[in-house]
Amino acid sequence: MTDRMLPLIEGGPVHERSDAARNRVALLVAARALVERCGVAGVTMEAVAVEAGVGKGTVFRRFENRAGLMAALLNFSESAWQDEVISGPPPLGPGAEPLDRLLAFGRSRLRLNVTHGELIEAASQSFGRSYAARSFAAMHVRYLLGALEVDGDLPMLATALLAPLEAVILDRQVRIEGMDLERVDAAWTDLVRRVVRPTGVPGPS
Amino acid sequence: MTDRMLPLIEGGPVHERSDAARNRVALLVAARALVERCGVAGVTMEAVAVEAGVGKGTVFRRFENRAGLMAALLNFSESAWQDEVISGPPPLGPGAEPLDRLLAFGRSRLRLNVTHGELIEAASQSFGRSYAARSFAAMHVRYLLGALEVDGDLPMLATALLAPLEAVILDRQVRIEGMDLERVDAAWTDLVRRVVRPTGVPGPS
DNA sequence: ACCGTAACCGGACCATGGTCCGCTTTCATT
DNA sequence: AATGAAAGCGGACCATGGTCCGGTTACGGT
């Protein structure tokens, strides 16, 4: 399962030819270099090809399209983050109270999505395909809600809680409406508290 | 304020030249025709230009870019919807209880965003600029929350409630995860009820 | 009616995402 | 080591979003 941390090395199809593997690594390294040299917008498919010293067609063969390339790039940091959630120190990792874990999860995810906003945006056409991160987050939130003994349609509730943390929405709030990160954070905490608190319905006496 | 309903006629700059006005109308009509003949994806800037019988440059002059054109197209249905909310029959329009209005608002907005998903997606690059619909929705929800005497950071709470209704997220749920519309609807109702119900904090005795 | 100006028009032009297909490389088998 | 075929490669090619600028047109003042 830690294989997920090594997207540069983990293979594509079951048996990948050595030249193909070499090129895939070269392409990702090139893309990473470009993204920090010219910004996400400057990562042109042709530029990546040139930087990696391969043909343009090769880039498309490996990553389908620009969004796919970006998604592959994202997996770097995304899987590192997943590991923190799964096995890092509390309160994000296991060991803390579920509510604390949930709130820590929100804080962390919020920052991550703001930081990677551009990249996520550029990769988003490729999701639906395999943005593992999204379903991972949904699963985790759902699990924590269960641990908190929240009842209701947990998968949908998880989606609803994650929605305000989406990069698209955060971008609007932070970049356009000029919202403070702390305020967004506080609001999410408030939202979670409202959702999680026990139903007003009196129990079976 | 009803001018907002006539996006085809309402002018751009203070004093628009007659030929410019004619072209703007022609372009929007052409675009609308194309979108229902070839789908949103088939609306090429050049195709619009040809259909309207003008040069390609003119299209870009009027609408800045593809997203701008789509946004202009959206305003058609969007402003009709706004009028329903502002002055239509209850429970969506005024006259019903705030909670009922809020739930009706969600149902309605949900359907609208699913229907216009593609168009909204295509126009979204242009938002931040002037997607009036979004801030209108936020304002309305905020108002209803106020009427329900919900306390807290109302603007942020409104954003949080609207987030799961965003086209991007609905698309994933409905198209990719195969969620049922009714289920999404029910989940939103549940979310609202959780958020709105009075805080567990005991009042000042 | 005339004129100067400012706005507008249009299509040639560029950049970039994406496709295609003939050539090359790799690798399993012998 | 030789070999055949599957996989991979690469760059020419296309479509489309977006820019630019010389020529044209409408408008207001006289």
Side-chain angles (χ1 to χ4, degrees), chain A residues 128 134 150-151 153 156-157 159 163-164 166 169 172-173 176 179 183-184 187 190-191 194-195 197 199-200, chain B residues 128 134 150-151 153 156-157 159 163-164 166 169 172-173 176 179 183-184 187 190-191 194-195 197-200:
Chain A
R134 183 119 47 207
V150 172
D151 53 358
D153 191 339
M156 295 297 291
L157 218 44
T159 301
E166 287 292 317
I169 285 157
R172 254 206 321 276
Q173 289 188 294
I176 296 170
M179 289 280 184
R183 185 174 170 197
V184 181
D190 178 47
L191 177 69
R194 286 171 189 266
V195 166
R197 70 187 161 189
T199 310
Chain B
R134 183 117 48 206
V150 172
D151 54 357
D153 191 339
M156 296 297 293
L157 218 43
T159 300
E166 288 291 318
I169 286 158
R172 255 207 320 276
Q173 288 189 294
I176 297 171
M179 289 280 183
R183 185 173 169 197
V184 180
D190 178 48
L191 177 69
R194 286 171 190 266
V195 166
R197 69 187 165 191
T199 309

Side-chain angles (χ1 to χ4, degrees), chain B residues 16 19 76 90 102 118 123 166 169 185:
Chain B
E16 190 180 31
D19 53 347
F76 266 128
L102 185 51
E118 259 186 314
E166 288 291 318
I169 286 158
D185 212 339

Side-chain angles (χ1 to χ4, degrees), chain B residues 39-89:
Chain B
V40 173
V43 179
T44 277
M45 294 306 260
E46 185 147 14
V48 173
V50 170
E51 174 94 9
V54 304
K56 194 170 156 189
T58 305
V59 189
F60 282 92
R61 167 177 318 280
R62 284 269 93 71
F63 300 104
E64 183 91 7
N65 52 30
R66 196 184 128 97
L69 175 60
M70 297 308 188
L73 233 40
L74 250 192
N75 271 356
F76 266 128
S77 11
E78 207 67 79
S79 46
W81 181 76
Q82 284 186 26
D83 281 3
E84 268 186 52
V85 173
I86 293 176
S87 57

